[in-house]
Amino acid sequence: MAKTLNRTWLKPQRIFCAGLLAAALELAAGPVLAGDCPGNPDALGTSRTLVVDPREHPRVGGMQYPETLPLKDHEVVLTFDDGPLPPHSLQVLDILARECVKATFFTIGSMAHAYPQDLRRVLAAGHSIGTHSQTHPLSMNRMPIERARKEIDDGIASATAALGDPAAVAPFMRIPGLLRAKDVEDYLASKGIQVWSADFPADDWRHISADRVYQLAISRIEAKGKGILLLHDIQARTVAALPRILRTLKERGYRIVHVVPATPDRPKTPTSPQDWQTHPTSDAVASAHWPKVPRFSFAHAGTLPAPAISDSDLRDGKLFLLPEAFSGSRRFVRGAVPVPEESPWPRQSAVVEGPATDTFPVPAQNIFAIPEKSVAPLKAMVSLPHHAKPTLRASRHVEEDDNVQSISSDASAAKRSIPGSLPVLRPGFH
């Protein structure tokens, strides 16, 4: 009897405690403004909570997809992959708690199985928990779909077992290495799971310094002005760079947004389709895609008079028809005259000639006269070929200059008299 009474009394107590825990988690999941952060009035804080419906927008992240989260200018979403892994994941949680910042953690199933208590700390702090496969294979873009499904399902099952509540696992997933594949994306969409890429990484998985992680994170955020930042909570360099990243975001006027999935009790945040576009078009600029046109209005509805043919000075206002179209591919029949093809447009009638009032003077002929330069006549001498016979001389007693022989126009077909050249000595007479 006593045992029955204890059970009867403990049941409502258990329900009451569960209600308190749910209320505490709901309070922790809400936005915490900078001034409301306990012990740190100058904290960065979480400016707002964005509630999304994964089925309406199954893929987000400007690095790979045409859609990303509907953020305003200078809004950033923090995401962490590959945890939990002590002590680094716990240090990241402490840093975020000091700044009252909420983030999204994509846990690996094997890590959730190994460190379930640390994953429960992530949930208790009010962060969103998505999945990152079971074993983090860097081959989901080429593995058989059956194996990819097992990686996805096992990762969700391990996270659910660690947290003890299926509702605690958000329907968010980031594919390992961002190595996307259509079959994998289609499978996730069929299960109502939203695939997360990113808008800018900090490259903290590479062997670089914490200062370099900070520089890459801030420079890439500044270049885009808003978006999803990809980090890893298992790296010591990330732990060292994170406080400086958050402090710089605060100094430069950035705000942190926490993303949670929509539920029957938590409706989605109202947005427009353009808010999700990675590169939204502005109404002030004409789009390159028809039929959208820029919005403009005419200053007045006045019209201009149409010009008359006589207004032009071509052929005194006459309108001439173009030549008949003719197909060169027609075969000609001997003795027949080819007939031009009919024009596809109606023939135009001649326009009545109007009065010609404008005249132009006829240019004088001397305008086109070009004076010629006088050149002194020169006599050219060309050497004879070896087979040509030289012209007979009148006397054997001649001067040395007679070794050069003049070529007459009728000496042979190969001899020519060329005016304007210098004398050329004939070969064989030196």
Side-chain angles (χ1 to χ4, degrees), residues 270-314:
T271 58
S272 66
Q274 187 175 2
D275 297 335
W276 294 80
Q277 294 179 10
T278 304
H279 304 288
T281 57
S282 173
D283 291 337
V285 179
S287 173
H289 304 284
W290 295 96
K292 185 177 179 180
V293 295
R295 298 176 181 176
F296 61 90
S297 59
F298 294 99
H300 55 81
T303 58
L304 296 176
I309 299 178
S310 59
D311 292 339
S312 65
D313 295 332
L314 299 176

Side-chain angles (χ1 to χ4, degrees), residues 15-314:
I15 296 174
F16 176 73
C17 293
L20 286 179
L21 178 61
L25 292 178
E26 186 70 23
L27 180 62
V32 180
L33 301 179
D36 299 332
C37 189
N40 188 7
D42 196 35
L44 175 59
T46 302
S47 65
R48 69 184 179 107
T49 299
L50 176 65
V51 184
V52 300
D53 186 349
R55 294 188 180 275
E56 289 187 0
H57 302 277
R59 291 176 284 274
V60 294
M63 288 180 62
Q64 295 176 293
Y65 301 118
E67 285 192 342
T68 191
L69 293 175
L71 302 176
K72 302 174 184 177
D73 185 44
H74 275 60
E75 286 188 339
V76 176
V77 173
L78 299 177
T79 63
F80 296 89
D81 289 5
D82 296 354
L85 178 66
H88 306 310
S89 297
L90 301 181
Q91 293 170 339
V92 167
L93 289 177
D94 292 339
I95 295 171
L96 297 178
R98 286 197 298 269
E99 295 290 336
C100 288
V101 166
K102 297 295 184 291
T104 300
F105 288 79
F106 292 94
T107 181
I108 296 176
S110 59
M111 304 296 282
H113 178 75
Y115 307 102
Q117 68 282 0
D118 295 333
L119 189 61
R120 287 194 288 268
R121 284 192 56 179
V122 175
L123 179 65
H127 303 288
S128 297
I129 298 178
T131 56
H132 199 39
S133 79
Q134 176 67 14
T135 63
H136 199 281
L138 295 176
S139 57
M140 289 191 71
N141 59 329
R142 60 182 186 274
M143 68 171 53
I145 186 58
E146 293 78 13
R147 184 182 167 193
R149 289 176 180 175
K150 182 173 176 54
E151 279 286 342
I152 295 169
D153 296 341
D154 290 352
I156 297 173
S158 296
T160 301
L163 297 174
D165 183 8
V169 181
F172 302 155
M173 181 182 177
R174 179 170 281 153
I175 300 174
L178 304 183
L179 299 174
R180 52 178 294 203
K182 185 179 184 302
D183 291 341
V184 174
E185 293 170 345
D186 291 345
Y187 176 68
L188 290 167
S190 68
K191 294 177 67 69
I193 299 174
Q194 189 176 54
V195 181
W196 282 48
S197 181
D199 291 308
F200 27 71
D203 294 359
D204 56 342
W205 66 89
R206 296 167 47 201
H207 295 288
I208 58 178
S209 65
D211 185 63
R212 183 58 178 160
V213 172
Y214 162 79
Q215 292 175 1
L216 290 174
I218 296 301
S219 63
R220 289 169 178 174
I221 291 173
E222 289 277 58
K224 287 187 175 291
K226 62 179 181 179
I228 306 168
L229 176 62
L230 171 58
L231 296 168
H232 294 76
D233 59 319
I234 64 171
Q235 301 290 346
R237 63 180 67 92
T238 307
V239 175
L242 186 57
R244 191 179 173 192
I245 292 174
L246 299 180
R247 186 164 55 250
T248 302
L249 292 177
K250 168 72 174 179
E251 294 171 353
R252 300 189 182 182
Y254 285 88
R255 301 174 301 279
I256 301 300
V257 174
H258 183 210
V259 184
V260 297
T263 63
D265 299 329
R266 184 169 53 196
K268 65 181 180 180
T269 302
T271 58
S272 66
Q274 187 175 2
D275 297 335
W276 294 80
Q277 294 179 10
T278 304
H279 304 288
T281 57
S282 173
D283 291 337
V285 179
S287 173
H289 304 284
W290 295 96
K292 185 177 179 180
V293 295
R295 298 176 181 176
F296 61 90
S297 59
F298 294 99
H300 55 81
T303 58
L304 296 176
I309 299 178
S310 59
D311 292 339
S312 65
D313 295 332
L314 299 176

